[in-house]
């Protein structure tokens, strides 16, 4: 049994954890292998993150699976990533379903190969009645595109008389984002030692706690995840207020 897991306060869990899964290529190169070898060996880390969330009942986990910028990578690597995604969906669909997890996909799905898109939507449909947790895959996702798309859609609705300019506020704007049905991100984790956001959930992480780990993604374990939760619980989240104000709420 994990001693780290025992330190977690079940009354103070984040509702939504998001992870930038970084470091597959460097992990592979450190072993004298091609970058694609790292991607193939990252599946266990994905399982570890999903299982850790499931064990301590965190309701939303979003994984940055493939960014809109990743399309510019070498074609062989992109093809490998798409094939790996398709294979993983086939292998993991039953496991995701049996855990009672509901899968969601956010991003520009029109750019995804038809077979992969079909398999993604099949798992989304298969799990739509599940209620024990939510696994969100950000695929072909870019936050700037998401925000610009929301602005265009709001502008169209204003033009058509469906929305008054005076009524536009943060809550209404969020209804135009991919994540309109999800809570804001409480904790963002990035592996590989890089300290940047990389166009990921820029609106949704406005008040998230950020943790940057010197761990390459294929080495990510459940205990590492649990330690992130412990560290999160040791932070005072003030949302722009003072510590004194938080204490008297």
């Amino acid at each position: 049994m994990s001693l780290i897991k025992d330190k977690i306060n079940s009354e103070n869990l984040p509702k939504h954890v998001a992870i930038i899964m970084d470091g597959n290529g460097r992990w592979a190169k450190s072993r004298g292998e091609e970058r694609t070898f790292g991607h193939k060996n990252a599946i266990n880390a994905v399982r570890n993150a999903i299982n850790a969330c499931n064990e301590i009942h965190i309701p939303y986990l979003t994984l940055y699976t493939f960014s809109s910028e990743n399309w510019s990578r070498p074609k062989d690597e992109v093809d490998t990533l798409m094939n790996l995604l398709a294979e993983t969906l086939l292998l993991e669909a039953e496991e995701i379903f049996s855990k009672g997890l509901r899968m969601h996909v956010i991003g520009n799905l029109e750019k995804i190969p038809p077979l992969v898109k079909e398999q993604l939507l099949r798992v989304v449909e298969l799990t739509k009645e599940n209620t024990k947790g939510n696994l969100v895959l950000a695929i072909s996702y870019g936050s700037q595109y998401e925000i610009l798309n929301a602005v265009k859609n709001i502008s169209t609705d204003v033009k058509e008389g469906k929305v008054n300019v005076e009524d536009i506020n943060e809550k209404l704007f969020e209804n135009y984002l991919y994540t309109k049905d999800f809570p804001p991100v409480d904790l963002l984790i990035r592996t590989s030692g890089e300290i940047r956001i990389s166009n990921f959930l820029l609106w949704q992480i406005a008040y998230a706690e950020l943790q940057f780990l010197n761990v390459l993604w294929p080495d990510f374990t459940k205990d590492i995840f649990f330690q992130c939760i412990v560290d999160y619980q040791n932070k005072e989240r003030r949302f722009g207020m003072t510590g004194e104000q938080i204490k008297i709420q």
Side-chain angles (χ1 to χ4, degrees):
M1 179 176 287
S2 170
L3 296 177
I4 299 172
K5 181 181 173 183
D6 293 341
K7 297 178 182 178
I8 294 173
N9 175 6
S10 62
E11 302 299 317
N12 183 30
L13 291 169
K15 291 185 176 68
H16 190 170
V17 176
I19 304 179
I20 300 173
M21 306 179 291
D22 194 20
N24 294 343
R26 274 167 282 172
W27 185 89
K29 286 185 176 182
S30 72
R31 289 159 173 77
E33 301 284 353
E34 296 294 324
R35 291 174 56 84
T36 52
F37 180 75
H39 298 313
K40 291 174 182 176
N41 281 274
I43 303 304
N44 278 337
V46 172
R47 291 192 190 106
N48 288 336
I50 294 171
N51 290 336
C53 261
N54 196 49
E55 284 182 26
I56 59 176
H57 308 298
I58 291 175
Y60 288 86
L61 172 66
T62 298
L63 300 177
Y64 205 3
T65 308
F66 190 89
S67 76
S68 54
E69 290 78 18
N70 287 156
W71 291 114
S72 63
R73 290 189 175 188
K75 185 177 184 302
D76 286 349
E77 183 174 350
V78 171
D79 289 345
T80 296
L81 283 166
M82 287 295 116
N83 290 335
L84 184 60
L85 178 58
E87 292 170 12
T88 303
L89 284 168
L90 287 173
L91 291 172
E92 303 295 327
E94 186 175 343
E95 181 73 9
I96 292 169
F97 181 81
S98 66
K99 281 185 166 63
L101 301 178
R102 180 177 181 182
M103 196 177 89
H104 311 261
V105 183
I106 59 173
N108 183 4
L109 302 189
E110 297 311 310
K111 299 187 72 173
I112 296 174
L115 178 61
V116 179
K117 180 180 175 182
E118 181 184 333
Q119 290 175 330
L120 281 166
L121 296 179
R122 184 182 298 134
V123 180
V124 168
E125 178 66 21
L126 174 70
T127 62
K128 69 178 182 180
E129 303 297 331
N130 288 356
T131 58
K132 290 186 179 178
N134 295 272
L135 172 62
V136 185
L137 302 184
I139 302 175
S140 189
Y141 174 86
S143 189
Q144 290 178 331
Y145 175 87
E146 177 188 24
I147 291 169
L148 284 173
N149 195 53
V151 170
K152 289 177 182 178
N153 288 334
I154 290 175
S155 299
T156 298
D157 283 351
V158 169
K159 187 176 180 181
E160 294 177 357
K162 297 176 183 177
V163 171
N164 295 318
V165 172
E166 296 78 14
D167 295 332
I168 298 175
N169 55 25
E170 290 91 340
K171 186 63 179 174
L172 185 143
F173 186 81
E174 287 170 357
N175 286 331
Y176 287 81
L177 298 175
Y178 295 136
T179 54
K180 63 181 180 179
D181 297 321
F182 313 149
V185 176
D186 296 306
L187 171 62
L188 173 69
I189 300 167
R190 182 178 187 140
T191 57
S192 87
E194 301 291 351
I195 304 175
R196 57 176 178 264
I197 305 303
S198 296
N199 197 18
F200 184 47
L201 299 175
L202 299 177
W203 178 280
Q204 296 86 346
I205 63 169
Y207 281 101
E209 296 296 328
L210 311 181
Q211 295 189 23
F212 300 98
L213 310 180
N214 287 310
V215 175
L216 299 177
W217 178 247
D219 293 325
F220 190 85
T221 65
K222 288 199 295 183
D223 273 352
I224 291 173
F225 184 90
F226 293 146
Q227 185 61 57
C228 288
I229 300 303
V230 172
D231 293 343
Y232 164 87
Q233 293 182 335
N234 287 330
K235 300 283 182 63
E236 183 180 64
R237 305 187 71 206
R238 296 194 292 272
F239 301 96
M241 294 183 283
T242 67
E244 289 73 18
Q245 286 176 302
I246 294 294
K247 289 173 184 175
I248 63 174
Q249 282 192 332

